[in-house]
Amino acid sequence: MNIDIFGLGYVGAVSAGCLAHDGHRVIGVDPSATKVELINAGQTPVIEAEIGTLIQESVEKGQLSATMDFASAIEQTDVSIVCVGTPSQLNGSLDLSHVRTVCEQIGESLRRKDGFHAVVIRSTILPGTIRQIVIPTLEEYSGKRAGEDFGICHNPEFLREGTAVKDFYQPPKTVIGELDTRSGDILAELYGHLPGPLIRTDIETAEMVKYTDNVWHALKVGFANEIGNICKALEIDGHRLMDIFCQDTKLNLSPYYMKPGFAFGGSCLPKDVRALTYKARSMDIPVPILDAILPSNALQVKKAFDMVVAKGRKKVGILGFSFKAGTDDLRESPVVELIERLLGKGYELKIYDKNVNLASLVGANRDYILNRIPHIARLMVKDLSDILAHGEVLIVGNGSAEFQGVLGQLKPDQVVVDLVRISDGRSDVASYDGICW
């Protein structure tokens, strides 16, 4: 392919060198004469393992060159990859001036160019940037329509400094957020030889992926450090502890617990978070990340409550209120907390959970429901049909299999607030509202 790359900084230079090494004809574009001269001399403008050799070989073979003339570069290519910086401003927002400038330049050039041209944003940008800034700017300066006269994709990069070339050729995943299938096909062909999953999705999801990855990595560092600080105070080797922790790839380092939804509950997680943060406080060890877990969890209960209130209806049916499907355990169930709040605001509730049966409850569970929440026990019904007949708003509180068909049984005026995702439905359907989707 014939490709131009705007921005010859860290990401742009590595991408240019690797794509040229793969046999594509690549033209780097940058306003810095120094960077352009370095590339054309076969030298790297960034310090990164292996990239110097790739750039030198590609320039010698005529696969890679650089210029300050953006119009000439676009005229000779079919794909523009934007790799300019998006630095933080003082308030944390992104400085998108470089992105905007490049889009103006590309737009001006597309106005004079015939044929289809794909524009790929590889810079790290927040969701909404492409639709609110990139596309309007390109359309204004080109006089053409995005998705028709030219293509738009977002292709976030996952390159780590020091291992960027290795990461380019062995990516954990390749993500293509596409406005149009044609430009998505171009990128799929460009990266089709790389290992790992190739994921084609919508623009906004692709924009969000890089931030989700990086914030998760930052959270992991902070979490490990707080655990390590507690361990040191207890004369425990934090590295040895985390080595054991990381050997659990079923729960700890896995997709488990990583689906957005309702608050956690049960007899273990809330209790153990409280115990460990108490222990840290007793040793005067600040653990702001660990301290934020329970308040964050409580916000999900509030969010669910606010969703129900927003429906403007008083008759509510609860489908499942044990803390998860397949159990009768109500201890620290976030659904019980939600029920308490709704009762306090005068909502008319009926509750159904086949596993929470007073006749079979024993021990701690029996004591809890009879002595701690007897007012809730009196609202329980024995049949799912009773809930469907009563509720103007139906709250799905756990993922019991018997709730899968509820959406197909709704009356025209009923709405569902789903806390567990019993369906692939989205909140753009009037009768359905998912808590995190």
Side-chain angles (χ1 to χ4, degrees), residues 10-200:
Y10 177 76
V11 173
V14 171
S15 299
C18 291
L19 289 171
H21 178 72
D22 286 345
H24 303 287
R25 179 170 176 261
V26 180
I27 302 175
V29 182
D30 200 285
S32 168
T34 300
K35 291 181 179 180
V36 168
E37 290 167 2
L38 284 170
I39 291 286
N40 288 331
Q43 300 177 37
T44 175
V46 298
I47 303 301
E48 177 64 40
E50 301 181 66
I51 194 59
T53 300
L54 296 186
I55 288 176
Q56 180 181 1
E57 292 176 352
S58 297
V59 170
E60 290 174 352
K61 293 178 181 178
Q63 296 297 124
L64 175 63
S65 62
T67 182
M68 298 174 65
D69 185 349
F70 61 85
S72 173
I74 292 173
E75 182 61 34
Q76 300 176 63
T77 57
D78 305 305
V79 181
S80 293
I81 301 179
V82 178
C83 299
V84 297
T86 55
S88 288
Q89 302 191 97
L90 291 177
N91 65 356
S93 65
L94 298 182
D95 178 357
L96 297 172
S97 59
H98 302 303
V99 172
R100 192 186 300 272
T101 297
V102 166
C103 288
E104 292 172 359
Q105 293 172 343
I106 294 174
E108 288 178 2
S109 301
L110 292 183
R111 181 182 289 274
R112 299 186 294 271
K113 182 180 180 182
D114 296 326
F116 186 82
H117 193 95
V119 180
V120 181
I121 306 300
R122 197 153 164 81
S123 302
T124 302
I125 51 175
L126 286 167
T129 304
I130 286 183
R131 292 195 190 272
Q132 295 168 14
I133 294 177
V134 171
I135 291 176
T137 303
L138 287 169
E139 289 185 336
E140 177 186 353
Y141 280 80
S142 70
K144 297 181 178 182
R145 294 279 296 172
E148 298 176 10
D149 304 313
F150 63 90
I152 289 286
C153 284
H154 181 51
N155 173 222
E157 49 82 18
F158 305 101
L159 308 178
R160 297 169 295 173
E161 294 186 39
T163 60
V165 172
K166 179 180 178 181
D167 291 342
F168 184 94
Y169 287 116
Q170 297 179 343
K173 57 185 175 291
T174 299
V175 179
I176 301 170
E178 58 191 53
L179 180 70
D180 56 288
T181 302
R182 185 174 179 181
S183 55
D185 288 344
I186 292 171
L187 278 187
E189 180 181 350
L190 188 67
Y191 297 125
H193 65 291
L194 298 177
L198 189 151
I199 302 145
R200 297 175 68 167

Side-chain angles (χ1 to χ4, degrees), residues 226-247:
E226 290 191 3
I227 293 295
N229 290 339
I230 295 173
C231 286
K232 184 172 179 64
L234 295 171
E235 299 184 350
I236 296 169
D237 187 330
H239 278 215
R240 186 176 300 167
L241 175 83
M242 293 306 290
D243 285 343
I244 296 171
F245 172 88
C246 291
Q247 289 186 48

Side-chain angles (χ1 to χ4, degrees), residues 324-340:
K324 68 177 180 178
T327 177
D328 61 1
D329 195 348
L330 299 175
R331 290 172 295 176
E332 302 219 39
S333 167
V335 184
V336 171
E337 174 62 25
L338 176 59
I339 290 169
E340 296 275 17

